[in-house]
Amino acid sequence: MRVLGVDPGLTRCGVGVVEGVAGRPLTMIGVGVVRTPSDAELGDRLVAIEQGIEQWLDEHSPGYVAVERVFAQHNVRTVMGTAQASAVAMLCAARRGIPVALHTPSEVKAAVTGSGRADKAQIGAMVTRLLRLDAPPKPADAADALALAICHIWRAPAQNRLQQAVAAHRTSGASRTPGVPGASRTSGAAGAPRTTGTPGTPRTLKGRTA
């Protein structure tokens, strides 16, 4: 499995490619940052991010793209820029038919370090250890992108099993005969015994009273 992790941002958009499967040593294929000048127009910055991500997709041909899920922050301007860069990354992947997965920061931290409250230094140290690197990737956005890719590789098998279970449950539910749950399938009123003849009249058998 080859995954492109994207840590979205307008000024620095971290990107990192990791290859491997859960339970085995992982390999870093590439890591870097797509930068845009802070004084450029917003549209031009988004185009630059798109071009940068497209270049990474062309060069490394990942099978999946993992993007950090945007969450609320006190700085509205920052979260808006992050959301816009995130949308560009998802657009680039969707245009090529590459599956996109969103992972929250706490989810990534817990997967890589074991703690959902880990700081940037801890993430960088664990990424360095897991990928057997000589030093933590710089800047921190690059390390975060690799952490996203690692998180997806490790969690993808469980997510796939969950999706398969949900799909199987929906299929089995659709195949059942529609009706009111618990109601007996009778030609009479619900709950009423099936009888022949006129209600209240004794049934007869070969002309004798039963």
Side-chain angles (χ1 to χ4, degrees):
M1 176 185 294
R2 177 173 290 194
V3 180
L4 170 65
V6 179
D7 181 44
L10 274 180
T11 303
R12 295 184 307 274
C13 183
V15 285
V17 180
V18 177
E19 189 171 63
V21 295
R24 295 185 180 181
L26 305 177
T27 302
M28 185 190 76
I29 305 301
V31 66
V33 175
V34 178
R35 300 177 184 271
T36 67
S38 59
D39 58 349
E41 293 292 333
L42 175 60
D44 295 334
R45 300 180 75 180
L46 295 177
V47 169
I49 292 174
E50 178 194 23
Q51 292 173 343
I53 293 177
E54 289 286 356
Q55 184 177 351
W56 277 80
L57 293 174
D58 287 336
E59 183 175 351
H60 299 289
S61 301
Y64 300 87
V65 172
V67 183
E68 182 180 285
R69 184 185 294 275
V70 179
F71 63 99
Q73 294 179 342
H74 295 296
N75 191 329
V76 177
R77 182 177 180 181
T78 299
V79 74
M80 284 298 295
T82 302
Q84 290 162 343
S86 175
V88 170
M90 290 188 285
L91 172 64
C92 292
R95 192 158 48 200
R96 295 170 179 246
I98 302 175
V100 178
L102 300 177
H103 299 284
T104 64
S106 59
E107 181 184 355
V108 175
K109 294 176 182 179
V112 175
T113 70
S115 172
R117 298 183 178 181
D119 57 22
K120 295 286 187 181
Q122 291 173 307
I123 295 175
M126 285 305 300
V127 166
T128 302
R129 180 182 301 179
L130 293 170
L131 298 178
R132 304 177 303 283
L133 306 177
D134 295 331
K138 299 292 184 180
D141 309 85
D144 289 345
L146 292 174
L148 275 157
I150 294 172
C151 173
H152 185 71
I153 290 174
W154 283 354
R155 291 179 176 260
Q159 291 176 340
N160 290 339
R161 288 194 295 270
L162 177 61
Q163 292 173 353
Q164 291 172 358
V166 172
H169 177 72
R170 290 175 177 174
T171 301
S172 62
S175 63
R176 295 175 183 172
T177 303
V180 180
S184 59
R185 299 175 184 175
T186 63
S187 58
R194 300 180 65 181
T195 60
T196 57
T198 305
T201 303
R203 292 182 298 169
T204 59
L205 180 64
K206 294 184 179 179
R208 293 179 298 173
T209 302

